[in-house]
Each structure stands twice: as C-alpha cells, then as structure tokens.
Amino acid sequence: MIILIIILALMFDFINGFHDTANAIATSVSTRAMGPRTAIVMAAFLNFCGAMYSTGVAHTIGSDIVKSAAHVDERILIAALFSSILWNLFTWWLALPSSSSHALVGGIIGSVLISKGAVGLNFFGIGKIVLSLVLSPIIGAVTGCIIMTVLFFVFGRLNPSSINHKFKKMQIVSAAMMAFSHGSNDAQKSMGIITLALLSGGYIAVFDVPIYVKIMAATAMGCGTAFGGWKIIKTVGSKIFKLEPISGFAADLNSSLIIFSATLMSLPVSTTHVVSGSIMGVGAAKRVTAVRWGVAKQMAVAWVLTIPATALVASIIYSFLQIVF
C-alpha cells in the first residue's frame, strides 16, 4: 500500500504538471513571445529545478493538516490522492483552471474526517493553509493591477508596437521565473504526502524529505509539464483577458514573486489562482470591462467547490477501501 501511495503521489504530480503548465507559459505563448514547444521544454526543466529547491512546503502539507502521523494510515492517503487526481482530470476536461493544492487539502480533510473524525485534524494548521490559498489570488489581483499601472505610467507615452516588441524578450525571463517558482511550490505537495506515508509506515523516524523523494517528485512534475495542458493554456492565456507582451510580462512577474515568497514562508498556494488573479488585476488596470468576468466567475465557482467536492469524494473512496481492505 505504501508503494501504491508513492505511485499515486507521482501520478498526482505528473497530472499537476500538465494541468498547471498553463500557469508558467500561457501568457508568453498567447502573446507569441515563445513558441509552444520551446516554452514547454523551458518550463519542464525549470519546474524540475524549482522542485529541488526546498522542502518547507512539503513539511507544511505533511504535518499541518493532521495532528500527527499516528492519525494517518495508507487508506487515508490513497483516498485523498485518488480524489485529487479525479478532480484535476475533471477540471482539465472542462478546460477550467483549478487548484491542485485545494484538491489535495480537501482530499486529506475528507478522508481523515470519515476515518478519525475531527480529532484527527489540526485546525490551526488547516486555517493557515486555507488562508494562504484564499488570500494569494486576491493579493495577486491587487499587486498585478499596481505593477501594470506603474508600467503604463512609465511606458505609456512610448510607441506601443516598439514597447511590445521589447517586452516579448522580457517575457521569456518572467516566464522562466514563473516556471521555477511553480516547481518550488507545487512539487512539494506530493513530497509531503510521500514522506508522511513513509513516516506513518515506520520507514523513516522523523518527518524529513529524503533526497530520492525530491528527485522522484521533481521528475514527475517536469515530465507532466513537458506533456502540456493545451486546454487550460487557452483558457488562462486568452479567455480571461486579451494579453499583450507588456501585460503578460506584468502578470508573470507578479505571479512568480508571490509564489516564490510563499515558498520561502513554507506556505502552499495555488499557482493557478495566483496567475489567474494576476491576469485579472493586470486587465483591470487597463480597463475593468476588458476582463471577461463571465469566465472569471466560472473559475471562481470551480475554486469554491474544490475543497468540499474532493473532501466528499475522498470520504466515499475511503469508505470503499475500508470495506475492501
């Protein structure tokens, strides 16, 4: 069962990679700063590098949701991972950007509640995680609007075609920053699950992410990114707001700074939410009506439903596993 957990965690990481490819490259592809293939190869490599950077977020996922490893068994983690994978595939099929972080947190909460009850949950830790997940897209929208306003103030009087040509090159840098920061935060979530499984199974004595777990998770994330999530790239890159190179640069720069700051504070955030919030903020800086709020509303509904939906599915899967095993 431990092996099954590791396989499922790596599947989750792989799906997270192709589901969230859009986070790193949608803006640069939509503005044609980079070709799709080049962008995906770059994002895959930098996602791998970012995933190897630290393990602080893995510690938060592995130790802040449940009170102790004693409250976790293999069935809980299997149910949580299955639920998260199903939700990611479902939202990918609908071309809706959704949060893999929300899905995983919801899955763990649901499976622990049905198995151990509320006593097994660390509500302080969950509150901290949920707060970071909720606030990050709001912060992304506000700071994205500020950065875009500053860029308009500095470059607004110059020739638009000349500015956009220069910012196409700068977008490559901002997309690289975005890919690295995405890997530094998202890949650690499966690292935390695998390490928690090893700890609860008695294979390691303390919660410390082994180097082989880091390499496996980073590789799965990089391979998933290389696979590419074209449906969601289209939604993020063009359906929220028609991006230009200067606005794409602002969105990527803003997103990468927020996500990497969260990584430094060991806080899991939804890269999808941060990027989408940044694009909305950048669009609103140009003109509030330029943002397609109908698409934004659909995404918001998916965000709100993620945790309760994955918690419910995880509790059902856990109940089934309890009967079978």
Side-chain angles (χ1 to χ4, degrees), residues 295-309:
V295 176
K297 184 180 178 181
Q298 291 175 356
M299 292 165 58
V301 170
W303 296 348
V304 171
L305 289 177
T306 298
I307 289 181

Side-chain angles (χ1 to χ4, degrees), residues 78-218:
I78 289 170
L81 287 166
F82 255 122
S83 176
S84 306
I85 289 170
L86 289 173
W87 182 257
N88 275 350
L89 289 174
F90 175 66
T91 52
W92 168 77
W93 180 64
L94 294 176
L96 273 178
S98 69
S99 170
S100 301
S101 307
H102 279 196
L104 187 57
V105 170
I108 296 172
I109 290 172
S111 53
V112 170
L113 274 176
I114 198 71
S115 60
K116 307 294 182 184
V119 69
L121 295 173
N122 177 1
F123 286 100
F124 176 78
I126 291 171
K128 181 178 72 173
I129 291 170
V130 171
L131 189 63
S132 69
L133 291 170
V134 170
L135 287 181
S136 54
I138 298 172
I139 294 170
V142 172
T143 53
C145 184
I146 292 171
I147 289 175
M148 194 68 242
T149 301
V150 171
L151 290 176
F152 277 144
F153 178 78
V154 175
F155 299 105
R157 296 179 182 178
L158 301 178
N159 183 282
S161 60
S162 173
I163 291 300
N164 280 324
H165 178 71
K166 291 178 180 177
F167 271 96
K168 273 189 177 182
K169 297 178 182 178
M170 296 179 68
Q171 256 197 291
I172 297 173
V173 177
S174 63
M177 291 172 61
M178 182 60 225
F180 183 88
S181 65
H182 173 255
S184 75
N185 201 279
D186 268 28
Q188 291 193 51
K189 291 150 193 172
S190 58
M191 291 182 201
I193 295 297
I194 294 173
T195 306
L196 182 59
L198 294 173
L199 180 62
S200 64
Y203 291 94
I204 56 176
V206 294
F207 192 99
D208 190 21
V209 181
I211 185 65
Y212 61 86
V213 172
K214 291 178 68 176
I215 293 172
M216 285 193 300

Side-chain angles (χ1 to χ4, degrees), residues 77 218 266 295 312:
L77 296 178
S266 301
V295 176
L312 176 62

Side-chain angles (χ1 to χ4, degrees), residues 274-290:
V274 173
V275 172
S276 301
S278 295
I279 292 173
M280 291 174 199
V282 165
K286 182 177 182 179
R287 191 174 64 255
V288 174
T289 55

Side-chain angles (χ1 to χ4, degrees), residues 205-316:
V206 294
F207 192 99
D208 190 21
V209 181
I211 185 65
Y212 61 86
V213 172
K214 291 178 68 176
I215 293 172
M216 285 193 300
T219 302
M221 174 70 75
C223 290
T225 302
F227 189 77
W230 299 106
K231 285 186 174 184
I232 298 176
I233 288 174
K234 186 176 180 181
T235 300
V236 173
S238 61
K239 290 188 177 180
I240 302 173
F241 167 68
K242 185 173 175 54
L243 291 163
E244 298 173 338
I246 188 170
S247 53
F249 168 80
D252 277 350
L253 176 64
N254 181 56
S255 301
S256 62
L257 292 175
I258 292 172
I259 294 165
F260 195 66
S261 297
T263 299
L264 294 177
M265 293 186 285
S266 301
L267 290 173
V269 293
S270 167
T271 54
T272 305
H273 290 197
V274 173
V275 172
S276 301
S278 295
I279 292 173
M280 291 174 199
V282 165
K286 182 177 182 179
R287 191 174 64 255
V288 174
T289 55
V291 179
R292 297 182 178 94
W293 296 108
V295 176
K297 184 180 178 181
Q298 291 175 356
M299 292 165 58
V301 170
W303 296 348
V304 171
L305 289 177
T306 298
I307 289 181
T310 50
L312 176 62
V313 173
S315 65
I316 294 170

